Amino acid sequence: MKTFFTLMVFLPIVLFSQESNSKDPNKDKLPLGAFSVSLNVKNLAKSKEFYEKLGFSQMGGDIKHRYVIMKNGAALIGLFEGMFEGNILTFNPGWDENAKEVDPFTDVRDIQKKLKNDQIQFNTEADEKSKGPAYIEFTDPDGNKILVDQHR
């Protein structure tokens, strides 16, 4: 009975695992680049101090310019004082989580074309004829702002 129970529990897991491994997990993915959360903060110095207590350290930005980028492992948080309303989910095509260039990468204009084909509505669009730095903005069904911001 114990063997039967073990087979009934683990056989579906093994079969599912083999089935999952046979598919290309990246086939339908849209590479968006480095991910961070951009937070609208009321007091940048106080917020920076708080996130330092959570193990984050400043890797970019400048308090004089009213923003800092904080990092803890692969986690990134941008703290921005008075620069925008609400919080934003941010993706940076062409960068990794250390703000190092990644090649190849999917250009923001190609991401825009794909999302348009998928019926995503944009708040801000990139000029499809341009090259280099550009960004797009849209909102998810729950009202969360999403920014895809290409710096190169």
Side-chain angles (χ1 to χ4, degrees):
M1 187 69 166
K2 187 176 180 183
T3 304
F4 177 75
F5 177 75
T6 304
L7 281 174
M8 294 306 292
V9 170
F10 291 108
L11 187 58
I13 294 170
V14 170
L15 291 174
F16 177 76
S17 173
Q18 288 175 346
E19 182 181 318
S20 314
N21 291 337
S22 66
K23 297 178 184 174
D24 180 0
N26 295 315
K27 180 180 166 225
D28 296 323
K29 290 188 179 177
L30 181 61
L32 298 172
F35 173 73
S36 63
V37 177
S38 300
L39 300 176
N40 176 23
V41 301
K42 295 175 184 163
N43 182 318
L44 183 55
K46 197 176 212 178
S47 293
K48 180 179 181 284
E49 181 181 332
F50 173 82
Y51 283 99
E52 287 171 340
K53 290 176 183 176
L54 295 179
F56 285 83
S57 57
Q58 184 175 339
M59 69 165 283
D62 189 330
I63 286 186
K64 292 180 217 162
H65 294 123
R66 299 184 5 238
Y67 82 96
V68 294
I69 308 301
M70 307 292 289
K71 185 173 183 352
N72 181 342
L76 296 171
I77 299 175
L79 305 175
F80 298 85
E81 186 178 318
M83 297 179 100
F84 49 81
E85 289 185 30
N87 299 319
I88 304 173
L89 304 174
T90 304
F91 298 92
N92 299 111
W95 276 6
D96 68 11
E97 69 274 4
N98 296 307
K100 302 288 184 214
E101 292 186 1
V102 175
D103 282 308
F105 70 95
T106 306
D107 187 86
V108 69
R109 287 155 282 267
D110 293 328
I111 293 169
Q112 177 175 280
K113 284 180 202 170
K114 161 77 169 90
L115 295 177
K116 276 186 172 183
N117 286 339
D118 290 340
Q119 309 302 311
I120 300 294
Q121 301 295 312
F122 291 88
N123 303 330
T124 304
E125 294 185 27
D127 178 355
E128 293 181 7
K129 295 175 183 158
S130 68
K131 293 184 180 187
Y135 67 93
I136 57 177
E137 291 179 295
F138 49 98
T139 306
D140 78 7
D142 296 303
N144 298 301
K145 297 176 192 176
I146 300 171
L147 172 68
V148 181
D149 190 11
Q150 180 175 307
H151 295 278
R152 53 183 271 222

